[in-house]
């Protein structure tokens, strides 16, 4: 089980009395803060921690714009702090996975600065995707691609003599120029970055935008961008009805010359060999928003990466048949390459699942989130949890003046897109008022925390029967016993999902009426269970004698 730490929002070792705390700026999480809170993760029962990017970066996309892959941003600490975090985690029995951002650099990266200073056509520009514009005077972008964060995917530069010049590609923000992975220098550099962190002892990598590295070589126009693609075999995006982060998940274009090109797999074959050079089970997990279970499975063929995120459950509506379809189709596709799927319900790019499932009723959202998590944790394969979900944190409606996500900045509310800040609000650790122990002192964290989060803090939930934190702790403890057992069956009756392993029954009631519990000893339920009945929006694990004996 891997726990995602969003570095800015986990724990700030600084104080608000100094402007600059231990790790950097007060009010922003940092590496020493994470190190000090690792015992929480050990007590929770996680196996590995994934840290979002902490490298040198102007922070236009909160670290997903890397200016130096081999150094820690002063905001978060130093390389010595990273070493200290690794050593402490390993002492506590936790593995550490770091984020690798290979699709693009920051525009502040030395390579991009050299490219801007160099003349068109030179080797400095060949590390990125610089092209002449179309139309009179090259005034039009080289093609019609759109940025994931809104607006065109191309920005024009000014040449050294002050004249309007070439255009560069950025599938995300203008401050995130895409690298040209057809240039061998790029692959060599990123291999050296992998080795830099492997040498320091990291256990693995989460590969950002893993499906984007190679673009169709022609950089041709996309056919009818934005047009819906009827009849595609892809997950529904319907449940993302709450505001925020739709751009990350909505893939409505039929023709995608910028994503999931066959050549990208050569990169992962090479990285497989790099990882194999190191002792222990070093691994990498692909963040690949692919269109189908089969295209997802291609990232984890035997000679490629070890895991790939399976976003299908996260995209599915609250419905037992939809969950059944996700479990069956993901397992079928992954079985074809000899792997189990991964499972994830929340991350730093999507609306938290306690809010996604709420349909306007926060209590229902939390009940469903707990039930979905308990069910997911019974499935074979790695599960990924996002910080704060163990507290039942909801999505926060961050006021426009506080929003920082470049997706908000570029969309400015177009299509209802308000950005991803709402799932990134700093963790409440203790106390009754912000900053809830996130930072020492009394000042405000980088995103304001709601005034009513006191009862959700780690301190408030610890040892409290039925709290979300204790549910997660118990579920992760039991999971160690059951996760390795094969899934014997998964089926739906009405709107109730049933999973069966040798001596475990899991029932998830997505319907509106209570349903009878299976016979056996109740191990854990996500909500109150009375009179042998499982209420709506609730899941349970029951220990039952193996069938047919
Ligand atoms: C990350 C996002 C980031 C984007 C660009 C993603 O998929 O998860 O948070 O904005 O890549 O790097």
């Amino acid at each position: 089980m891997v726990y995602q730490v969003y570095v800015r929002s986990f724990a700030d070792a600084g104080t608000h009395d100094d402007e600059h705390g231990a790790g950097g700026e007060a009010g922003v999480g940092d590496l020493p803060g994470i190190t000090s809170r690792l015992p929480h993760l050990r007590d929770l029962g996680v196996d590995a921690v994934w840290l979002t990017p902490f490298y040198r970066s102007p922070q236009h996309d909160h670290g997903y714009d890397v200016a130096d892959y081999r150094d820690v941003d002063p905001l978060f600490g130093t390389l010595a702090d990273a070493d200290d975090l690794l050593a402490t985690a390993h002492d506590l029995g936790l593995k550490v996975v770091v984020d690798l951002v290979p699709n693009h650099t920051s525009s502040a990266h030395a390579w991009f600065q050299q490219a801007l200073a160099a003349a068109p056509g030179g080797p400095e520009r060949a590390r990125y995707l610089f092209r002449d514009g179309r139309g009179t005077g090259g005034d039009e972008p080289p093609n019609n691609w759109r940025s994931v964060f809104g607006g065109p995917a191309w920005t024009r530069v000014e040449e050294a003599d002050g004249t309007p010049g070439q255009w560069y590609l950025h599938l995300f923000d203008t401050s995130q120029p895409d690298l040209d992975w057809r240039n061998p220098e790029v692959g060599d550099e990123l291999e050296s970055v992998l080795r830099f962190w492997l040498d320091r002892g990291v256990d693995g990598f989460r590969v950002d935008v893993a499906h984007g590295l190679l673009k169709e070589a022609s950089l041709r126009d996309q056919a009818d961008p934005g047009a819906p693609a009827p009849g595609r075999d892809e997950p529904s995006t319907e449940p993302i009805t709450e505001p925020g982060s739709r751009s990350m998940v909505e893939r409505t274009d039929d023709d995608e010359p910028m994503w999931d090109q066959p050549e990208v797999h050569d990169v992962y074959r090479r990285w497989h060999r790099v990882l194999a050079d190191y002792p222990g089970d070093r691994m990498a997990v692909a963040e690949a928003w692919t269109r189908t279970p089969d295209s997802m499975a291609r990232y984890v063929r035997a000679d490629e990466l070890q895991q790939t995120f399976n976003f299908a459950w996260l995209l599915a509506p609250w419905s037992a048949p939809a969950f059944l379809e996700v479990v069956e189709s993901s397992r079928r596709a992954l079985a074809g390459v000899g792997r189990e799927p991964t499972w994830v319900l929340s991350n730093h790019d999507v609306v938290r699942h306690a809010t996604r499932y709420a349909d306007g009723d926060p209590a229902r959202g939390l009940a469903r989130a707990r039930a979905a998590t308990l069910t997911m944790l019974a499935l074979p394969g790695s599960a990924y949890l996002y910080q704060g979900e163990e507290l039942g944190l909801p999505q926060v409606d961050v006021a426009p003046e506080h929003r920082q996500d470049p997706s908000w900045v570029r969309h400015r509310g177009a299509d209802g897109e308000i950005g991803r800040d709402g799932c990134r609000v700093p963790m409440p650790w203790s106390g009754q008022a912000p900053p809830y122990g996130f930072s020492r002192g009394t000042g405000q964290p980088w995103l304001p925390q709601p005034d009513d989060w006191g009862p959700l803090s780690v301190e408030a939930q610890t040892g409290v029967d039925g709290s979300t934190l204790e549910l997660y702790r118990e579920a992760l403890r039991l999971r160690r016993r059951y996760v390795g057992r094969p899934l014997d069956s998964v089926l739906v009756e009405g709107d109730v999902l049933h999973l069966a392993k040798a001596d475990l029954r899991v029932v998830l009631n997505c319907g509106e009426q209570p349903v009878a519990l299976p016979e056996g000893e109740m191990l854990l339920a996500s909500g109150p269970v009375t009179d042998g009945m499982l209420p709506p929006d609730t899941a349970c694990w029951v220990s039952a004698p193996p069938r047919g004996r």
Side-chain angles (χ1 to χ4, degrees), residues 87-239:
T88 309
H90 288 159
D91 284 350
L92 292 171
L94 301 168
K95 296 197 182 239
V96 178
V97 172
V98 297
D99 223 306
L100 185 76
V101 189
N103 179 67
H104 43 264
T105 68
S106 160
S107 50
H109 191 284
W111 272 10
F112 194 71
Q113 290 301 311
Q114 289 161 16
L116 289 181
E124 294 86 357
R125 290 211 172 169
R127 295 161 175 154
Y128 294 91
L129 290 155
F130 278 86
R131 293 291 183 276
D132 293 335
R134 296 196 290 202
T136 327
D139 289 348
E140 302 290 325
N143 70 26
N144 65 355
W145 297 1
R146 309 281 300 165
S147 153
V148 173
F149 290 161
W154 295 90
T155 291
R156 193 168 198 186
V157 301
E158 200 174 81
E159 300 301 352
D161 62 3
T163 57
Q166 288 192 302
W167 300 71
Y168 67 89
L169 179 72
H170 51 88
L171 291 179
F172 293 87
D173 190 45
T174 51
S175 63
Q176 294 167 301
D178 281 56
L179 288 162
D180 184 356
W181 272 85
R182 293 180 194 275
N183 178 343
E185 206 184 342
V186 170
D188 291 348
E189 169 64 3
L190 265 293
E191 173 171 339
S192 141
V193 170
L194 279 177
R195 290 186 185 277
F196 177 87
W197 289 102
L198 288 165
D199 288 339
R200 290 195 105 83
V202 305
D203 300 286
F205 300 91
R206 176 262 187 190
V207 183
D208 189 60
V209 195
H211 58 313
L213 275 45
L214 273 296
K215 286 78 182 164
E216 223 179 273
S218 64
L219 298 184
R220 66 171 174 81
D221 272 347
Q222 179 178 22
D224 196 11
R232 287 293 300 234
D233 169 21
E234 64 183 307
S236 156
T237 57
E238 266 177 36

Side-chain angles (χ1 to χ4, degrees), residues 4 6 50 52-53 61-65 99 101 103-104 148-149 171-173 176 206-211 248 287 289 311 347-349 405-407 420 424:
Q4 178 187 357
Y6 193 67
W50 149 32
T52 54
D61 189 14
H62 296 335
Y64 285 97
D65 47 326
D99 223 306
V101 189
N103 179 67
H104 43 264
V148 173
F149 290 161
L171 291 179
F172 293 87
D173 190 45
Q176 294 167 301
R206 176 262 187 190
V207 183
D208 189 60
V209 195
H211 58 313
M248 295 303 299
E287 187 225 13
W289 290 88
F311 293 117
N347 66 31
H348 67 295
D349 289 329
D405 183 4
S407 178
R420 300 162 292 175
R424 300 173 174 181

Side-chain angles (χ1 to χ4, degrees), residues 515-543:
V515 295
L517 286 166
E519 276 178 34
E521 181 202 346
M522 173 66 72
L523 296 170
L524 188 59
S526 65
V529 167
T530 39
D531 303 330
M533 300 296 279
L534 184 69
D537 301 330
T538 311
C540 66
W541 288 21
V542 171
S543 162

Side-chain angles (χ1 to χ4, degrees), residues 81-410:
D81 291 330
D83 291 342
D84 196 35
L85 190 161
L86 271 168
T88 309
H90 288 159
D91 284 350
L92 292 171
L94 301 168
K95 296 197 182 239
V96 178
V97 172
V98 297
D99 223 306
L100 185 76
V101 189
N103 179 67
H104 43 264
T105 68
S106 160
S107 50
H109 191 284
W111 272 10
F112 194 71
Q113 290 301 311
Q114 289 161 16
L116 289 181
E124 294 86 357
R125 290 211 172 169
R127 295 161 175 154
Y128 294 91
L129 290 155
F130 278 86
R131 293 291 183 276
D132 293 335
R134 296 196 290 202
T136 327
D139 289 348
E140 302 290 325
N143 70 26
N144 65 355
W145 297 1
R146 309 281 300 165
S147 153
V148 173
F149 290 161
W154 295 90
T155 291
R156 193 168 198 186
V157 301
E158 200 174 81
E159 300 301 352
D161 62 3
T163 57
Q166 288 192 302
W167 300 71
Y168 67 89
L169 179 72
H170 51 88
L171 291 179
F172 293 87
D173 190 45
T174 51
S175 63
Q176 294 167 301
D178 281 56
L179 288 162
D180 184 356
W181 272 85
R182 293 180 194 275
N183 178 343
E185 206 184 342
V186 170
D188 291 348
E189 169 64 3
L190 265 293
E191 173 171 339
S192 141
V193 170
L194 279 177
R195 290 186 185 277
F196 177 87
W197 289 102
L198 288 165
D199 288 339
R200 290 195 105 83
V202 305
D203 300 286
F205 300 91
R206 176 262 187 190
V207 183
D208 189 60
V209 195
H211 58 313
L213 275 45
L214 273 296
K215 286 78 182 164
E216 223 179 273
S218 64
L219 298 184
R220 66 171 174 81
D221 272 347
Q222 179 178 22
D224 196 11
R232 287 293 300 234
D233 169 21
E234 64 183 307
S236 156
T237 57
E238 266 177 36
I240 314 288
T241 52
E242 298 294 329
S245 73
R246 278 194 278 241
S247 58
M248 295 303 299
V249 295
E250 260 181 21
R251 301 278 302 281
T252 51
D253 300 328
D254 208 8
D255 176 43
E256 298 188 323
M258 67 292 281
W259 304 122
D260 205 18
Q261 299 299 306
E263 300 95 315
V264 79
H265 296 285
D266 294 336
V267 175
Y268 303 128
R269 290 191 189 98
R270 177 173 182 178
W271 291 6
H272 182 97
R273 295 192 295 273
V274 173
L275 291 164
D277 278 351
Y278 288 80
D281 289 332
R282 312 286 176 118
M283 57 78 76
V285 53
E287 187 225 13
W289 290 88
T290 59
R291 308 191 66 126
T292 66
D294 288 333
S295 53
M296 169 177 78
R298 288 201 278 273
Y299 288 77
V300 289
R301 287 177 286 200
D303 58 349
E304 296 197 36
L305 301 184
Q306 288 69 25
Q307 293 186 358
T308 183
F309 285 111
N310 173 21
F311 293 117
W313 195 321
L314 177 157
L315 293 167
W318 177 257
S319 137
F323 293 155
L324 174 71
E325 164 61 19
V326 165
V327 172
E328 286 190 324
S329 61
S330 326
R331 296 194 81 226
R332 199 166 40 235
L334 274 283
V337 292
R339 307 263 195 198
E340 287 289 355
T342 60
W343 307 103
V344 55
L345 285 163
S346 279
N347 66 31
H348 67 295
D349 289 329
V350 300
V351 174
R352 285 183 176 276
H353 63 295
T355 299
R356 245 175 27 232
Y357 292 143
D359 275 341
D361 174 352
R364 174 169 50 202
L366 180 58
R368 289 178 172 181
R370 291 165 53 123
T373 301
L374 190 58
T375 308
M376 171 185 92
L377 288 175
L379 292 165
S382 278
Y384 282 77
L385 303 183
Y386 177 49
Q387 71 177 43
E389 65 168 271
E390 78 277 24
L391 306 177
L393 295 188
Q395 188 79 358
V396 176
D397 191 4
V398 177
E401 65 272 23
H402 292 300
R403 291 180 198 152
Q404 301 199 14
D405 183 4
S407 178
W408 155 253
V409 176
R410 282 181 70 86

